[in-house]
Structures are given as structure tokens and as C-alpha cells.
Amino acid sequence: MSESPSPSSMPDSGVSSDAVTAMPTSNAEQPSSKGDRSAKTRQLLGMKGAQAGETSIWKIRLQLMKPITWIPLMWGVICGAASSGHYTWTLENFLISAACMFLAGPLLTGYTQILNDYYDREIDAINEPYRPIPSGAISIPQVITQIWVLLIAGIAIAYALDVWAGHEFPTITVLAIGGSFLSYIYSAPPLKLKQNGWLGCYALGASYIALPWWTGHALFGDLNPTIVLLTLFYSLSGLGIAVVNDFKSVEGDRQLGLKSLPVMFGITAAAWICVLMIDIFQSGVAAYLIGIRQNLYATILILLIIPQITFQDMYFLRNPIENDVKYQASAQPFLVLGMLVTALALGHAGV
């Protein structure tokens, strides 16, 4: 790993230390408007449009972990359990599933998000200066400690899940280590996969769809080549979702020479690439379901693709920079429901 620049070498975030450390001293100084409350909520969840000024170290640590990003990974575990065809509704299975979702979400996704913020602190100083690291709300040693705690806890829980499942080969532990390594080379030099628009976005898409799916499937069934290949194919639609996240940072990416798709192809072309990837590969999965005679599930999946196309036309294609969050909030529920429909079909077919 190449040496990381010290905090003193970071670009000026434009946020004074007084603004970071000041704490309201009376109720009158507390945020009272709906806009202030919304900004505080967005800040805590790690969303775009937050504000600086949080002083609670635990809230800052939570913000670094970006809880809003945990949901797709936790959902992927549910899909994997469904595709295994062996999940039954017992208290033990429910608790084990919850532990697996905790592994995929707060622990390893939290690790990934903090690692990414650590290596992106110069870019964030341009694009999102209110983030905890560029604003100076948390020190670099504290960030590094949190990264290691989450990583070690994640691998430990992965091993415990392998023991529960009776795996002779520690499949879940290997997936946890492999996924963590992928997160590292995605964010860190010298490879820094995110500098390559295509490779970086696919790595992100596979991390959000294939890896948690494999983990949930392996927990309750046998992970097989068909599931691996199909979810990797499905992850190409996740590549499109990953591109959506690049539009908010296009200016910083351009200044620092990162080759995101919006930088390489321009805003309009990248937006079309994004939506075509999302739609075509979901449609390909629907075609596969028809091929294995799961026609009802395939029809439901197609019906879930239609509103995504509608929201792409209404919001994203018209202004991808301004409407990226609105589009994701409107369209992605249909995409994730489609994942579950696919998983149920695979479990029903015994794939």
C-alpha cells in the first residue's frame, strides 16, 4: 500500500474548526426547522446534502459507515437465503439470518464505506466537504481504528456462521475476506479500481448483488456455479446502479483525473449507458427464468422493470446530476423487489 497523505496535506475543506467543534448551549440554538432536521438525518445516514457540525463521536462514526448503503447488502443476503430453497421460518434460522445481515451491512459495508472515505478524503474535500474526514470532525487514527475493528469483527462472525452451517470449507469466511480485499483494491492505490469507470463500477455492482447473495445462499444451501454465474450476470445491472453514484462527484473526479463514466463519456452518454445496463441485464434474467419454466416469476420481474424505465425517463435521463437521488428513491425499490422475485424463482426451481 502506498503511503497516504497526512491530514495536513489535505485540501482546505472550507469548514472552520470552530464550526466543527461548536455545540449548541441552549434549546433555542437547536435545529428547529424541517430543513435542519432533514439535513441532520441525511448527515447521520451518510447521504448527499448533509451539513457539517456534528460533535458526537458515535454519530460521526455512524455517519462514516453510511447506514443508507447497508440495505442493498442485507437484502442480498435475504435473496441468497431464498434462492437456496432451504430456508425455513424458525427462530434459529431467523437469528442466523439476522447475524448474516449484520455481517453484510453494518460490519463489512461499514468497513467498505469508511475505507473508501479514507482514501477519497481529497476528493470529498471538493465534492462533499461536510463529510467527517475532510471537515476534520474525526481524526485519521480514529478512522483507521474503526476500519480494523469492523473488518476483524466481520471475519469473526463469518467464521462463526461457517461453523453453524457445518461447512467443511469455510465458504462464508472466504467470501468475507475476498469481499474485503475487493473493497480495498477498489479504493486504495496502486490499483484503485474506481479510477477505471467500467471495472470499478462492475466491482461495486458485484459487491452489492453477487457477494451478499452468495453468502446468504451458502448459509442455507450449497453455492453452485449456476448461482455464481447468474448473480454475476445480474451484477451487470448493478454496474448501472453504481454509475448513478458517479454523477454527484463528476467535478471532483474530473479535477483529480478519475475516469468515471460521466467523466469519460459525458453526462448524457453516461446516463444512457447507466439505464441501458440496468434494463437490459434485468431483462436477460427474466429471459433465463422463462428458459427454466418459471414463467410467473419472469412476468412479475418484467412488470417490475417497467416502472424503472418510467422513472428513468421522468427523472434521471432529463437531469442525472440533479435527479440522481430522486431517481434512486423512486426506481430502486422495484429493482430490489425484482432480485427477490428472481431468488424465489431459483429456489422454487431448485437451481
Side-chain angles (χ1 to χ4, degrees), residues 162 166-172 174:
D162 274 321
H167 291 158
E168 293 183 7
F169 179 80
T171 307
I172 297 173
V174 169

Side-chain angles (χ1 to χ4, degrees), residues 71-304:
I71 299 171
L73 282 292
M74 296 167 74
W75 187 260
V77 169
I78 294 172
C79 291
S83 69
S84 73
H86 298 296
Y87 181 85
T88 55
W89 286 100
T90 66
L91 178 60
E92 182 181 19
N93 284 350
F94 174 78
L95 293 175
I96 287 295
S97 298
C100 193
M101 287 188 280
F102 184 68
L103 162 69
L107 294 181
L108 293 188
T109 304
Y111 152 82
T112 297
Q113 295 298 338
I114 300 173
L115 190 72
N116 187 65
D117 272 16
Y118 173 77
Y119 285 107
D120 273 5
R121 57 193 186 275
E122 293 185 12
I123 298 175
D124 286 344
I126 299 170
N127 295 317
E128 300 176 276
Y130 51 81
R131 296 290 303 155
I133 298 176
S135 70
I138 187 170
S139 70
I140 295 299
Q142 288 175 310
V143 171
I144 294 172
T145 298
Q146 190 172 355
I147 289 171
W148 278 106
V149 167
L150 292 173
L151 176 61
I152 293 169
I155 294 173
I157 289 182
Y159 180 75
L161 292 174
D162 274 321
V163 172
W164 177 86
H167 291 158
E168 293 183 7
F169 179 80
T171 307
I172 297 173
T173 304
V174 169
L175 289 174
I177 294 172
S180 301
F181 178 71
L182 180 62
S183 298
Y184 176 78
I185 63 174
Y186 174 82
S187 299
L191 293 180
K192 203 173 180 71
L193 298 181
K194 66 184 300 178
Q195 293 183 118
N196 182 307
W198 291 108
L199 189 58
C201 285
Y202 182 68
L204 191 60
S207 297
Y208 270 76
I209 294 179
L211 279 174
W213 195 314
W214 295 349
T215 303
H217 191 103
L219 187 60
F220 294 101
D222 295 321
L223 189 59
N224 58 70
T226 301
I227 293 295
V228 169
L229 293 174
L230 185 64
T231 51
L232 286 174
F233 180 84
Y234 215 143
S235 296
L236 288 166
S237 64
L239 186 156
I241 295 297
V243 175
V244 175
N245 297 319
D246 288 337
F247 287 92
K248 71 177 184 293
S249 58
V250 63
E251 186 57 38
D253 290 348
R254 185 179 289 116
Q255 289 182 33
L256 295 176
L258 297 182
K259 295 181 180 179
S260 67
L261 265 63
V263 171
M264 290 194 300
F265 296 101
I267 299 298
T268 301
W272 274 103
I273 292 171
C274 172
V275 300
L276 288 173
M277 295 291 290
I278 292 170
D279 300 339
I280 289 172
F281 289 99
Q282 286 184 92
S283 300
V285 172
Y288 174 80
L289 296 183
I290 293 172
I292 60 173
R293 299 184 179 180
Q294 298 297 310
N295 296 334
L296 176 59
Y297 291 104
T299 300
I300 296 172
L301 179 57
I302 291 168
L303 291 174
L304 290 170

Side-chain angles (χ1 to χ4, degrees), residues 303-323:
L303 291 174
L304 290 170
I305 296 171
I306 292 172
Q308 295 177 60
I309 296 173
T310 302
F311 288 123
Q312 288 162 3
D313 178 62
M314 287 175 58
Y315 300 133
F316 190 67
L317 290 173
R318 299 187 184 191
N319 193 330
I321 295 178
E322 292 296 325
N323 295 333

Side-chain angles (χ1 to χ4, degrees), residues 46-66:
M47 296 172 66
K48 179 182 176 183
Q51 64 181 28
E54 183 57 66
T55 57
S56 167
I57 187 60
W58 296 109
K59 288 184 179 180
I60 291 168
R61 290 187 184 281
L62 184 62
Q63 183 187 357
L64 272 174
M65 294 163 66
K66 297 182 183 175

